[in-house]
Amino acid sequence: MVRLKHRWILFETLFENTSHQDTSNDPLTSHDIYITVKESIQLNFGDYGRGCTSSSLNGIYYSPHTNIGLLRVSRDYYRMVWCALTFITQINSRSCIIRVLHVGGTIKQCQKLVIEYDREQLLENEDLNDI
């Protein structure tokens, strides 16, 4: 039996005007991100792209507080999903940019990188507050 191999895509959503999401609007969910990614794949790669990624694409996690999310996709098609993420300019009628932070073979690698990234962001914010 052949083991299916996946890639974990760690990404950050940057909204227009601020680095953090407005609290006045409804917070995004992992389902919103998942639907938007599927639509972007359909738009940019057509039925071929949708068919290739439909069975392996999973929206595993999204935090509306840190705007960081995690997707799992088949190793063969992770570049297609990465490209689709890059082309997303709107989620729920809100302008945004999605930046891929890391692509890894295990979820543990992505978890370590998120902790490191959050620590850097906190230190950066503390430095800005001191000024």
Side-chain angles (χ1 to χ4, degrees), residues 90-102:
Q90 267 190 351
I91 300 174
N92 291 350
S93 303
R94 295 173 58 198
S95 296
C96 68
I97 297 171
I98 295 183
R99 184 175 71 146
V100 173
L101 300 174
H102 180 73

Side-chain angles (χ1 to χ4, degrees), residues 2-116:
V2 177
R3 194 175 115 211
L4 296 176
K5 297 189 178 181
H6 293 93
R7 289 290 175 252
W8 298 85
I9 301 175
L10 182 69
F11 64 92
E12 178 182 31
T13 308
L14 302 171
F15 291 96
E16 191 177 86
N17 299 330
T18 62
S19 61
H20 295 287
Q21 187 174 337
D22 290 338
T23 56
S24 60
N25 295 330
D26 292 335
L28 293 178
T29 63
S30 59
H31 183 70
D32 295 332
I33 301 291
Y34 177 71
I35 295 298
T36 305
V37 171
K38 283 175 57 174
E39 289 172 354
S40 179
I41 290 170
Q42 178 72 37
L43 179 68
N44 293 301
F45 298 102
D47 292 336
Y48 172 75
R50 185 76 178 253
C52 289
T53 59
S54 66
S55 64
S56 68
L57 181 65
N58 289 320
I60 300 296
Y61 170 78
Y62 181 76
S63 170
H65 301 293
T66 60
N67 296 328
I68 291 179
L70 188 63
L71 294 171
R72 187 181 76 175
V73 68
S74 172
R75 183 175 69 173
D76 297 331
Y77 302 110
Y78 82 89
R79 288 183 186 93
M80 188 181 293
V81 174
W82 187 343
C83 184
L85 283 169
T86 304
F87 286 134
I88 292 173
T89 58
Q90 267 190 351
I91 300 174
N92 291 350
S93 303
R94 295 173 58 198
S95 296
C96 68
I97 297 171
I98 295 183
R99 184 175 71 146
V100 173
L101 300 174
H102 180 73
V103 177
T106 64
I107 193 169
K108 195 168 235 174
Q109 287 176 335
C110 293
Q111 287 172 337
K112 286 179 184 177
L113 191 91
V114 166
I115 292 168
E116 210 174 282

